[in-house]
Amino acid sequence: MSEAIANMLKEERRFAPPAGLAAHANVDAAAYEQAKADRLGFWATQARRLSWSKEPTETLDWSNPPFAKWFADGKLNAAYNCVDRHVEAGNGERVAIHFEGEPGDSRTLTYADLQKEVSRAANALLELGVKAGDRVAIYLPMIPETVVAMLACARVGAPHSVVFGGFSGDALAARIQDADARVVITADGGYRKGGASALKPAVDEALTKPGTEEVRNVLVVRRTGQEDISWTEGRDVWWHDVVDRQPDEHTPQSFDAEHPLFILYTSGTTGKPKGILHTTGGYLTQVAYTHHAVFDLKPESDVFWCTADVGWVTGHSYIVYGPLANGATEVLYEGTPDTPHKGRWWEIVEKYGVTLLYAAPTAIRASMKWGDDIPAKFDLSSLRVLGSVGEPINPEAWVWYRHHIGGNRTPVVDTWWQTETGGIMISPLPGVTETKPGSAQVAMPGISATVVDDEANEVPNGSGGYLVLTEPWPSMLRTVWGDDQRFIDTYWSRFEGRYFAGDGAKKDEDGDIWLLGRVDDVMLVSGHNISTTEVESALVSHPSVAEAAVVGATDPQTTQAICAFVILRGDAAEAEGLTEELRAHVAKQLGPIAKPKQILPVAELPKTRSGKIMRRLLRDVAEQRTLGDVSTLTDASVMDLIQAKLPGAASED
Ligand code: WT7
């Protein structure tokens, strides 16, 4: 992607940090200088934001790359840091979690409540025979017990493996097997899209599979109260039977900084899922620091809300460990943004006075599609920082977010990171950075990121290539669980001595970083590398388009031809001539080479359960092939709808 074409999309809009925020920001520009002058010293300082039972004297051990050790001689307990220390500091009455169930039930847990609940759950795990180092699988909806269960595991040193509640019994079984879990924590069900959806049957099914025999107990939270729940005596136990009768005091033991905290499987599109291993001290240091810096959290007055599911890394780092380590008050919401109505999120922002919101571009684009009038009905004036994560955010969606949700006051921070990086790596800082719609811009203080070409040479400003991380960071994955070689091969072999993230990126004229999507999503058209993200952003910048997904389909003349699938905005009809207008619009924005050959209006796009567009399936459609594996889709019927539209959608060339 070294040609000028990688730098086609022109974005001239700039937004300065609000003066009031900048004047009182947690982190100012000096942090970059300090970290640059002494990167390890900088991280050692951030580690001291935590409470250690033995303060580390070592910072980084990189004597055996790519296997890093951070703060290796330090000892701490992650749950103590997230809960007890806030109570000991006199903040026990501060709300930790405002829980909002999908049916409208709600619960408030203070830090003192959380301390009792986590202690009881930790005592219950010990009674069930869980020992430090044993793995515990967690398969739960978004309810307070999920956070409690994770912290209870951390408290007793049992690495958790949270499996997203939307995954099937097979997917759960594969993760239980790989991690060799001893206990599964689940619920009878959860509420989703207006109804109760069962979870326990998937656990029962998973535990019939070979390799899951080591699971001794299934601890079941009662959430939906289904009566016909199946029960295996001796194995299954109710949470309320076992946890509620425990003493609400538990003395946390401290663990080595490198003690495993959790395993989280990446739902990769190919191959066996990878168990990404995170350890305790470095992970907690970086998630706490980045949450403090990127969201400018003031724990006494802010209300933070990360809308992700706890089943993804975003939920681990920015619902559980980062915010709670910082003593934040946060919202936990069980359901979907459109249940029972499309203003549900904004209603929650108003109800709890949310000040800091962290959401995914897919949800922002859905809101754009539903119409500006919906958020306009709610009082969103409490908001002061808006975050984005999970995919590139198209400049139009970024501007819409700032305007219609943030009232044109709030900085938007586009945060780039991965399950593997554990915490935020590239992001503007709300009190420092002049933001640019669509760009994650700058590496965090203490993080070294750059863009390289095929030969690992750093590209000049104005060029594109591959995103790499050039120095180890505290919350980096330590390995792929049980497979060190795969860790080396996947991340450390493409560019000698550098971490290859798998994402295409470019540096603009100012040296700011723009993420261009997974490298597999870059198209080759008549000898030019064109990023799907840029064509999608150009399409979304047209007033009629709410969402777009672009793929390169094999083409005899041009190697690949650009095929676009678009969702039109609420009021935009599939007007005669609209696809031609859209093609012309892309050509005007990016140049004629990027003009899509085909544009197909569709009702929905195929998305993974974490909201990422599955371009691989769209490529199958565009090339008129049999569809590949659809099992990780949220809704596989979307593909039938798309295919049904095909015949009338021939190329307009
Ligand atoms: C991949 C990691 C980070 C937590 C949620 C996803 C993409 C993530 C951005 C962003 C452009 C982004 C990348 C990355 N991605 N954030 N701000 N801009 N792309 O975690 O499931 O491990 O996915 O998500 O492609 O590699 P994940």
Side-chain angles (χ1 to χ4, degrees):
M1 236 179 307
S2 47
E3 308 96 37
I5 199 99
N7 202 25
M8 296 178 301
L9 193 68
K10 291 282 174 290
E11 178 51 68
E12 307 292 348
R13 289 167 290 194
R14 298 287 180 272
F15 298 90
L21 197 157
H24 303 284
N26 287 349
V27 173
D28 61 21
Y32 293 105
E33 296 311 314
Q34 288 154 8
K36 209 166 150 194
D38 178 8
R39 186 174 59 91
L40 296 181
F42 170 83
W43 283 118
T45 304
Q46 303 320 320
R48 272 180 239 121
R49 296 166 40 76
L50 302 178
S51 170
W52 301 77
S53 61
K54 179 178 181 296
E55 292 262 344
T57 62
E58 297 163 20
T59 301
L60 169 66
D61 175 355
W62 192 234
S63 57
N64 179 30
F67 300 95
K69 290 185 183 149
W70 282 87
F71 313 117
D73 65 342
K75 284 184 187 290
L76 76 170
N77 184 291
Y80 173 83
N81 271 278
C82 290
V83 183
D84 306 59
R85 67 163 169 156
H86 307 311
V87 179
E88 289 169 15
N91 294 318
E93 294 316 306
R94 182 185 296 161
V95 172
I97 297 174
H98 287 296
F99 169 68
E100 181 80 12
E102 196 187 76
D105 57 322
S106 60
R107 247 175 96 186
T108 300
L109 282 94
T110 63
Y111 275 94
D113 296 333
L114 197 58
Q115 184 182 37
K116 292 193 183 102
E117 299 244 356
V118 172
S119 298
R120 279 196 291 265
N123 287 324
L125 290 176
L126 295 174
E127 183 181 302
L128 294 175
V130 173
K131 292 190 299 297
D134 285 353
R135 272 81 58 201
V136 174
I138 297 180
Y139 183 66
L140 281 169
M142 287 279 286
I143 54 178
E145 285 81 358
T146 312
V147 178
V148 170
M150 291 165 74
L151 292 171
C153 287
R155 200 170 178 99
V156 302
H160 52 72
S161 163
V162 180
V163 180
F164 173 56
F167 275 136
S168 65
D170 279 346
L172 174 63
R175 286 158 178 76
I176 291 173
Q177 286 156 1
D178 190 75
D180 194 12
R182 298 303 151 96
V183 168
V184 179
I185 307 179
T186 188
D188 48 358
Y191 292 98
R192 204 145 182 89
K193 294 207 177 279
S197 88
L199 278 173
K200 176 73 167 40
V203 177
D204 293 331
E205 188 206 324
L207 295 184
T208 62
K209 312 272 176 201
T212 61
E213 298 82 2
E214 297 295 322
V215 174
R216 290 184 301 247
N217 290 109
V218 178
L219 187 54
V220 189
V221 177
R222 184 183 280 154
R223 168 72 183 136
T224 48
Q226 276 108 324
E227 279 170 6
D228 54 350
I229 187 163
S230 75
W231 208 253
T232 303
E233 286 305 328
R235 184 195 73 185
D236 298 351
V237 285
W238 283 111
W239 174 283
H240 56 259
D241 281 343
V242 183
V243 176
D244 290 1
R245 63 174 162 73
Q246 300 293 331
D248 55 21
E249 278 174 21
H250 169 267
T251 310
Q253 188 191 332
S254 45
F255 297 99
D256 288 345
E258 285 296 338
H259 187 79
L261 182 62
F262 66 85
I263 304 167
L264 183 60
Y265 289 82
T266 51
S267 45
T269 42
T270 51
K272 181 175 157 224
K274 294 188 283 283
I276 303 303
L277 176 68
H278 285 288
T279 58
T280 309
Y283 172 80
L284 205 59
T285 296
Q286 190 169 336
V287 297
Y289 173 70
T290 50
H291 181 253
H292 161 86
V294 170
F295 292 98
D296 190 45
L297 176 87
K298 307 285 194 267
E300 312 75 30
S301 52
D302 275 317
V303 178
F304 178 73
W305 182 20
C306 167
T307 62
D309 194 283
V310 193
W312 312 122
V313 75
T314 311
H316 283 59
S317 301
Y318 299 104
I319 294 176
V320 182
Y321 293 107
L324 297 178
N326 288 335
T329 294
E330 63 177 339
V331 171
L332 181 74
Y333 171 53
E334 180 182 31
T336 51
D338 53 352
T339 309
H341 57 82
K342 294 189 163 75
R344 188 65 194 275
W345 272 17
W346 317 124
E347 183 179 76
I348 292 174
V349 168
E350 180 180 289
K351 175 172 175 185
Y352 294 105
V354 172
T355 58
L356 314 170
L357 179 68
Y358 198 22
T362 178
I364 298 160
R365 290 188 302 256
S367 277
M368 283 173 80
K369 182 172 65 186
W370 296 335
D372 307 348
D373 53 318
I374 296 176
K377 288 188 204 119
F378 299 90
D379 179 3
L380 307 180
S381 61
S382 53
L383 289 167
R384 64 180 199 94
V385 179
L386 302 178
S388 172
V389 61
E391 289 179 276
I393 178 165
N394 323 91
E396 282 323 306
W398 191 108
V399 170
W400 186 90
Y401 192 27
R402 180 179 158 102
H403 185 132
H404 292 279
I405 307 304
N408 265 337
R409 307 174 310 277
T410 58
V412 172
V413 287
D414 175 12
T415 64
W416 178 90
W417 58 294
Q418 308 177 296
T419 306
E420 293 86 341
T421 69
I424 296 171
M425 302 293 282
I426 305 177
S427 171
L429 291 179
V432 180
T433 318
E434 185 185 59
T435 52
K436 297 176 180 174
S439 173
Q441 296 185 281
V442 279
M444 290 292 293
I447 297 299
S448 313
T450 191
V451 181
V452 298
D453 64 18
D454 274 306
E455 278 78 51
N457 303 310
E458 207 165 309
V459 303
N461 289 355
S463 305
Y466 307 96
L467 182 74
V468 293
L469 304 171
T470 54
E471 299 285 357
W473 62 99
S475 64
M476 65 194 275
L477 76 164
R478 297 303 193 259
T479 189
V480 171
W481 181 255
D483 199 345
D484 287 347
Q485 193 57 47
R486 194 165 177 206
F487 170 59
I488 297 169
D489 293 346
T490 310
Y491 305 105
W492 299 94
S493 300
R494 177 73 179 78
F495 301 106
E496 176 74 36
R498 285 153 181 218
Y499 173 91
F500 173 48
D503 284 336
K506 70 181 184 194
K507 286 201 275 181
D508 67 15
E509 296 302 337
D510 305 323
D512 280 339
I513 297 177
W514 294 68
L515 278 307
L516 300 175
R518 305 294 297 167
V519 286
D520 321 331
D521 291 336
V522 171
M523 304 171 287
L524 184 64
V525 182
S526 304
H528 297 280
N529 284 308
I530 299 180
S531 126
T532 54
T533 301
E534 289 193 291
V535 181
E536 287 162 7
S537 290
L539 284 164
V540 175
S541 73
H542 187 282
S544 297
V545 178
E547 229 181 315
V550 165
V551 298
T554 306
D555 185 276
Q557 270 109 45
T558 57
T559 316
Q560 285 189 316
I562 301 177
C563 296
F565 298 79
V566 296
I567 302 180
L568 300 175
R569 288 286 277 265
D571 45 356
E574 284 183 34
E576 194 66 29
L578 177 60
T579 52
E580 194 44 48
E581 186 182 322
L582 294 178
R583 295 175 71 231
H585 177 76
V586 175
K588 186 159 167 280
Q589 296 263 307
L590 300 179
I593 184 78
K595 189 169 167 176
K597 186 165 181 191
Q598 276 195 16
I599 294 185
L600 186 62
V602 292
E604 285 299 337
L605 291 167
K607 295 207 179 124
T608 64
R609 289 161 208 266
S610 59
K612 293 196 208 295
I613 297 168
M614 284 192 81
R615 293 185 185 72
R616 167 174 69 75
L617 294 174
L618 294 173
R619 212 173 299 129
D620 291 343
V621 171
E623 296 183 344
Q624 313 213 339
R625 262 200 312 259
T626 321
L627 289 186
D629 181 17
V630 295
S631 64
T632 54
L633 282 185
T634 319
D635 177 5
S637 69
V638 166
M639 291 313 297
D640 301 334
L641 289 177
I642 293 176
Q643 284 182 309
K645 297 210 62 176
L646 264 186
S651 154
E652 300 192 23
D653 257 340

